[in-house]
Each structure stands twice: as C-alpha cells, then as structure tokens.
Amino acid sequence: MILRLAVAVFLALHGLVHLWYVVLSQGWVEVEDAMGWNGQSWLLSDLLAEGTILSLASVLYVLVAAGFLAGGVGYGLDRDWATPVLVGAAVLSTVVLVVMWDGRFDLLVEKGVVGVAINVAVVALLVFR
C-alpha cells in the first residue's frame, strides 16, 4: 500500500514537472540558455511560426500533466483505468519532448532526456508487468 502511494505521488509529480515547459513557452519567466528548452523544434520550426509552436507546446504539456496527475491518482486508488491513462500520458509526453527538441545535443537533461527515460520505464513497468 505504501509503495503504491509512493509510486502514485511520483507519477503525479512527474506530470507536474511538465508544467515547467508551459511556464517557459508562455514567457512567464525569462528564458536563459541554461534552462534547456528554447522554443525551437527540429521538426516544426521550419513549418510553423514560433508563437504557434509555443502555444501548441503549452496545450500538449498541460494535457500530459493532467494525464499523469489523473493517472497517478487512479493508480494510488488502484483503478483499472489508471494504466491506459498513464501509458497514454507517457507516450504523449515522449512524443512532445522529441518533437519540441531543438535538435542540439547540449543540455539534454534540461531538455527532457530524463523525462523520456521515466516515460519509457512507466510504459515498460505498466504494460509488461
């Protein structure tokens, strides 16, 4: 029971970390190079205006945060729907992080590589348990 609740809290907190990207994309703090994400996308920057990319990122990261938060609560309460919600949030998070990546290999931790690793572990542990 304690382990389940600890995992649930971790999953919810993992989701809330995604809101940092919303803070950055909305310009609520001054972005510095050391923060990692700079609003550029290796995939979308040549296709969409920067404002559109930032708005899209905000919407998607809020969805990811909500998915992990809801999934974490569901997991803590041992609900059957928690697994597909968490797997969906993890997959969406990974896709968004990869798509929003600027294509440079500096500051990978700040750009979300640890989050991708957590997402892979979440999917692996929930799907293959």
Side-chain angles (χ1 to χ4, degrees):
M1 179 68 170
I2 297 294
L3 179 60
R4 176 170 287 282
L5 290 177
V7 170
V9 168
F10 176 82
L11 292 167
L13 292 175
H14 176 60
L16 293 176
V17 168
H18 290 79
L19 296 179
W20 176 244
Y21 292 99
V22 176
V23 169
L24 294 175
S25 66
Q26 292 301 300
W28 295 337
V29 297
E30 186 175 335
V31 177
E32 298 177 16
D33 290 339
M35 291 179 176
W37 191 54
N38 56 20
Q40 300 297 309
S41 164
W42 69 275
L43 183 62
L44 302 176
S45 288
D46 289 340
L47 303 172
L48 301 172
E50 184 176 335
T52 303
I53 293 170
L54 295 174
S55 295
L56 179 62
S58 290
V59 169
L60 293 173
Y61 283 125
V62 165
L63 288 173
V64 168
F68 272 112
L69 187 58
V73 169
Y75 185 84
L77 297 173
D78 200 18
R79 300 294 187 239
D80 291 339
W81 53 262
T83 295
V85 169
L86 288 167
V87 169
V91 169
L92 181 59
S93 169
T94 300
V95 168
V96 174
L97 286 167
V98 169
V99 167
M100 294 300 169
W101 175 51
D102 64 5
R104 296 194 317 248
F105 288 94
D106 59 325
L107 301 170
L108 286 177
V109 170
E110 291 82 354
K111 293 176 183 177
V113 73
V114 173
V116 171
I118 291 170
N119 293 337
V120 169
V122 166
V123 171
L125 291 172
L126 292 174
V127 171
F128 301 110
R129 61 180 170 153

